[in-house]
C-alpha cells in the first residue's frame, strides 16, 4: 500500500523519525529486518498487541529501550501485509474509501495480521469488505483455507458459502424446472440451457452427494411440468402433422419440433435420476407411432438428422426403463414399442453416423458416445423378456434384414436358441404336464 494512501490528517505520520517515539522492527526468518518509525499513541489506540507490548505491565518494560522498540516476527510472504496494517493504524477507517484494500488477496492478508495482532477496527473493516465483494475462484479457495481459523469475528465472510435450507433448495429447484421445461422466446435459449445444466448438476451424485433429495412434492412438481411439456408438444407438433401431407420442413416447423425433442431428451435424464420414468414411458408409448410418422416426412436427411437423434435419445431412456424393470409394461405394449423403434433405429443409425463423420453442411451434432451401446443392450433385454414365440418373430425379422449389424441381437439369438432347445427337458423336470401343450 502506498505510504501516502488515505493517511489521517494528524500531527503523526508514519516514518516521521523526529516525532517517532517507538520503532517497530519487522523481522523474518530469512534475515529481513525493517525499521518503521511509529508513534505509541497511534499503535496502542487500535491494536491490543501494541497496547500490551508498550504497557508498563509488559514483563520487559523496565529493560532499557524495550518500550521504544517492538520486534514483530513474520513470514516473508506476510511481510507486506504487516507493513500495510501498521499504515492502516494511521488511517481513519470510517472515513476512508473502499478502494483502500487493493483487492481481495491484500485484504485477506491484512485480515490475517489484524486477527493475529488483535486490531478489532481493521478486522471489522476487512470482514465488511471481503463479505461484500466478488471473489475469483482461486481467491475463494484461499478464503476457505484461511478464514475458518479466524473465529467468529470472520464468519460473515463465509455467509455466501453456507449450506441453505431444504425449503430454499426446493423453491429454487421448482422455479428452475418450470423455466427449463417452458418454451421461452429463442433469445432466451441460452438461459434455458443453463438452467437445465444446473438442475442436472443439483441432482447428480459426483464427488459430493446430490444437492437436493427429491421428495413427493418435488416429484409432483416435475410431473406437472412434464405434463405441460407433453401438452405443448402434442398441440404444436404431433396433432397438426401426424395426419398431414405437409412435412415439418414445408411448414417451417423443424426448429419447433427439434426444441421439443431436445427438451424431452433432457427431461428423460432428469426423470431417470429422480426415478419417476413411468409418466414418460407411458406417454412415449402412446405417441411413438405418430412421432416416427412425422420424422419420416422430412424432405432431406440434413433437416431431420438431429431431430431423429433426439428422438432416439428419448427412446433409449424409455427402453432402458422398460428393459431393466424400472417401469413394468404388459407384454403387448413391450412388443409394440419394440416393433416401432427397432426398425426406425436400424435405418437411422447409419444416417446419423454418416452425418457426424462427414460433417455434412457444417452440421455439428452432440450425442452421448454410449448411446448406441445402451440402446442395443435395452433391445436385447426387452426381447429376452418376451414370450418365446414373440422372440422368434423379432429375431427372424432381424436375421432377414440387410441392416443386421445394428442393433446386434446375437446375444438374444443365442439365449433363444438355448432356451428353445432345452425347453421340453427343463419343463418336464418340473412335472408340469400342461407346460407342453404349446409347441415352441
Amino acid at each position: 500500500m502506498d505510504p501516502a494512501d488515505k493517511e489521517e490528517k494528524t500531527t503523526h505520520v508514519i516514518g516521521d523519525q523526529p516525532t517517532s517515539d517507538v520503532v517497530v522492527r519487522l523481522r523474518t526468518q530469512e534475515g529481513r529486518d525493517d525499521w518503521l518509525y511509529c508513534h505509541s499513541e497511534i499503535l496502542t489506540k487500535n491494536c491490543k498487541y501494541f497496547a500490551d507490548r508498550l504497557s508498563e505491565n509488559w514483563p520487559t518494560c523496565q529493560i532499557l529501550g524495550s518500550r521504544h522498540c517492538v520486534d514483530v516476527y513474520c513470514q516473508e510472504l506476510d511481510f507486506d501485509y504487516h507493513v500495510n496494517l501498521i499504515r492502516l493504524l494511521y488511517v481513519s477507517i470510517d472515513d476512508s474509501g473502499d478502494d483502500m484494500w487493493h483487492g481481495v488477496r491484500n485484504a485477506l492478508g491484512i485480515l490475517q495480521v489484524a486477527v493475529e495482532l488483535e486490531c478489532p477496527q481493521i478486522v471489522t473493516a476487512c470482514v465488511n469488505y471481503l463479505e461484500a465483494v466478488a471473489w475469483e475462484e482461486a481467491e475463494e479457495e484461499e478464503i476457505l483455507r484461511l478464514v475458518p481459523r479466524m473465529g467468529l469475528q470472520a464468519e460473515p465472510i463465509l455467509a455466501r458459502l453456507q449450506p441453505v435450507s431444504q425449503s430454499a433448495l426446493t423453491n429454487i429447484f421448482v422455479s428452475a424446472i418450470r423455466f427449463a421445461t417452458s418454451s421461452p422466446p429463442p433469445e432466451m435459449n441460452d438461459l434455458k440451457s443453463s438452467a437445465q445444466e444446473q438442475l442436472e448438476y443439483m441432482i447428480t451424485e459426483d464427488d459430493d452427494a446430490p444437492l437436493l433429495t427429491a421428495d413427493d412434492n418435488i416429484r409432483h412438481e416435475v410431473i406437472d411440468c412434464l405434463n405441460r411439456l407433453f401438452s405443448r408438444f402434442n398441440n404444436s407438433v404431433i396433432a397438426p402433422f401426424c395426419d398431414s401431407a405437409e412435412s415439418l420442413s414445408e411448414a417451417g416447423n423443424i426448429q419447433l419440433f427439434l426444441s421439443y425433442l431436445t427438451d424431452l431428451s433432457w427431461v428423460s435424464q432428469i426423470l431417470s435420476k429422480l426415478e419417476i420414468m413411468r409418466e414418460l414411458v407411458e406417454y412415449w408409448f402412446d405417441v411413438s407411432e405418430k412421432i416416427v410418422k412425422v420424422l419420416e416426412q422430412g424432405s432431406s436427411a440434413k433437416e431431420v438428422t438431429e431431430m431423429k437423434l433426439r428422438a432416439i435419445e428419448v427412446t433409449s431412456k424409455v427402453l432402458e426403463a422398460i428393459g431393466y424393470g424400472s417401469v413394468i409394461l404388459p407384454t403387448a405394449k413391450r412388443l409394440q414399442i419394440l416393433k416401432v423403434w427397432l426398425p426406425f433405429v436400424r435405418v437411422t443409425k447409419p444416417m446419423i453416423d454418416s452425418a457426424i463423420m462427414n460433417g455434412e453442411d457444417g452440421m455439428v451434432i452432440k450425442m452421448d458416445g454410449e448411446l448406441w451401446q445402451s440402446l442395443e443392450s435395452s433391445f436385447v433385454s426387452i426381447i429376452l423378456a418376451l414370450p418365446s414365440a414373440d422372440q422368434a418373430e423379432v429375431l427372424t425379422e432381424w436375421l432377414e434384414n440387410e441392416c443386421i449389424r445394428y442393433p446386434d441381437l446375437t446375444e438374444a439369438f443365442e439365449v433363444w436358441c438355448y432356451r428353445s432347445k432345452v425347453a421340453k427337458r427343463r419343463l418336464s423336470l418340473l412335472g408340469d404336464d400342461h407346460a407342453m401343450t404349446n409347441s415352441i
Side-chain angles (χ1 to χ4, degrees):
M1 183 175 290
D2 192 327
D5 236 7
K6 304 296 182 184
E7 295 209 357
E8 190 180 41
K9 292 183 178 180
T10 179
T11 56
H12 298 309
V13 178
I14 188 172
D16 185 9
Q17 188 171 351
T19 62
S20 170
D21 63 347
V22 63
V23 173
V24 176
R25 295 181 64 184
L26 292 178
R27 309 176 73 173
T28 69
Q29 292 179 344
E30 291 76 15
R32 188 170 182 178
D33 184 357
D34 282 17
W35 290 28
L36 298 178
Y37 291 94
C38 302
H39 305 82
S40 58
E41 177 185 349
I42 299 296
L43 296 182
T44 59
K45 182 179 179 181
N46 290 312
C47 181
K48 188 175 185 301
Y49 173 79
F50 287 121
D52 290 343
R53 286 287 280 108
L54 297 172
S55 74
E56 294 182 357
N57 297 325
W58 192 257
T60 60
C61 70
Q62 302 303 324
I63 299 176
L64 184 64
S66 67
R67 293 185 63 187
H68 302 289
C69 182
V70 178
D71 290 343
V72 178
Y73 292 90
C74 64
Q75 299 293 324
E76 183 66 33
L77 291 174
D78 297 330
F79 189 90
D80 288 342
Y81 300 138
H82 282 74
V83 174
N84 289 341
L85 178 128
I86 293 172
R87 295 191 188 285
L88 285 172
L89 293 174
Y90 282 77
V91 173
S92 177
I93 299 292
D94 294 337
D95 297 332
S96 301
D98 295 329
D99 60 346
M100 65 187 294
W101 302 108
H102 300 291
V104 170
R105 287 188 179 276
N106 192 59
L108 185 59
I110 293 173
L111 175 60
Q112 281 185 271
V113 180
V115 169
E116 179 185 346
L117 300 184
E118 298 183 76
C119 307
Q121 187 179 24
I122 295 178
V123 167
T124 299
C126 282
V127 168
N128 290 342
Y129 172 79
L130 291 170
E131 188 276 333
V133 299
W135 310 330
E136 295 181 358
E137 184 176 352
E139 293 169 343
E140 183 170 315
E141 294 301 320
E142 190 73 358
I143 286 170
L144 276 171
R145 185 176 68 86
L146 297 174
V147 170
R149 308 174 187 174
M150 299 180 187
L152 294 176
Q153 57 191 338
E155 274 194 357
I157 298 173
L158 301 176
R160 72 186 70 177
L161 304 177
Q162 298 297 329
V164 298
S165 66
Q166 183 69 21
S167 62
L169 285 172
T170 299
N171 289 340
I172 197 167
F173 182 88
V174 168
S175 297
I177 195 72
R178 288 174 179 172
F179 178 64
T181 54
S182 65
S183 300
E187 58 268 21
M188 296 178 67
N189 284 344
D190 288 344
L191 293 175
K192 179 178 173 179
S193 295
S194 177
Q196 291 177 343
E197 289 174 6
Q198 295 312 308
L199 282 165
E200 190 169 356
Y201 175 74
M202 288 171 69
I203 62 174
T204 298
E205 182 173 4
D206 40 36
D207 292 338
D208 300 298
L211 181 59
L212 189 74
T213 302
D215 56 20
D216 289 342
N217 290 333
I218 289 176
R219 291 190 178 93
H220 179 74
E221 182 62 42
V222 172
I223 291 171
D224 281 349
C225 291
L226 182 65
N227 287 330
R228 288 193 289 270
L229 178 60
F230 290 160
S231 178
R232 293 196 305 275
F233 186 43
N234 284 336
N235 295 335
S236 300
V237 180
I238 299 299
F241 292 100
C242 68
D243 295 321
S244 172
E246 186 179 34
S247 69
L248 285 170
S249 56
E250 291 170 338
N253 278 347
I254 285 182
Q255 286 304 315
L256 178 63
F257 192 69
L258 178 59
S259 69
Y260 280 122
L261 286 176
T262 301
D263 285 347
L264 287 169
S265 175
W266 170 78
V267 85
S268 68
Q269 300 177 51
I270 298 297
L271 296 173
S272 178
K273 291 177 180 179
L274 295 178
E275 299 181 351
I276 47 175
M277 282 290 292
R278 173 162 291 279
E279 281 72 15
L280 178 60
V281 169
E282 292 180 346
Y283 172 78
W284 204 246
F285 172 81
D286 291 337
V287 299
S288 284
E289 291 187 15
K290 296 177 181 178
I291 290 174
V292 168
K293 183 177 181 180
V294 172
L295 288 173
E296 290 175 342
Q297 291 175 353
S299 59
S300 71
K302 169 191 169 184
E303 292 177 323
V304 299
T305 297
E306 188 169 1
M307 287 192 296
K308 290 183 176 181
L309 175 59
R310 299 306 163 218
I312 289 173
E313 287 175 344
V314 181
T315 302
S316 176
K317 287 295 182 181
V318 168
L319 295 182
E320 181 180 295
I322 298 171
Y324 296 101
S326 301
V327 177
I328 304 301
L329 290 183
T331 301
K333 287 189 173 183
R334 283 182 278 130
L335 181 60
Q336 176 63 22
I337 200 167
L338 196 67
K339 288 183 175 181
V340 171
W341 288 106
L342 187 57
F344 180 82
V345 169
R346 179 185 294 144
V347 172
T348 303
K349 182 180 184 296
M351 178 195 305
I352 294 174
D353 289 344
S354 175
I356 293 174
M357 183 177 298
N358 300 328
E360 294 177 1
D361 297 302
M363 184 183 300
V364 178
I365 298 178
K366 296 180 180 180
M367 64 172 288
D368 182 354
E370 298 180 356
L371 172 65
W372 300 121
Q373 181 60 47
S374 174
L375 194 57
E376 185 174 86
S377 297
S378 297
F379 278 132
V380 170
S381 296
I382 294 173
I383 291 170
L384 290 176
L386 292 172
S388 299
D390 293 329
Q391 292 183 46
E393 179 185 352
V394 172
L395 292 170
T396 299
E397 195 275 336
W398 167 65
L399 290 167
E400 293 176 348
N401 196 283
E402 61 181 14
C403 300
I404 194 173
R405 295 181 61 184
Y406 188 88
D408 184 354
L409 303 182
T410 301
E411 179 184 351
F413 184 39
E414 291 174 350
V415 173
W416 180 87
C417 287
Y418 171 76
R419 286 175 175 174
S420 299
K421 185 173 182 179
V422 303
K424 292 183 179 181
R425 175 171 54 82
R426 293 170 79 185
L427 292 176
S428 66
L429 292 176
L430 298 176
D432 187 355
D433 297 333
H434 298 288
M436 307 309 299
T437 56
N438 292 322
S439 178
I440 297 177

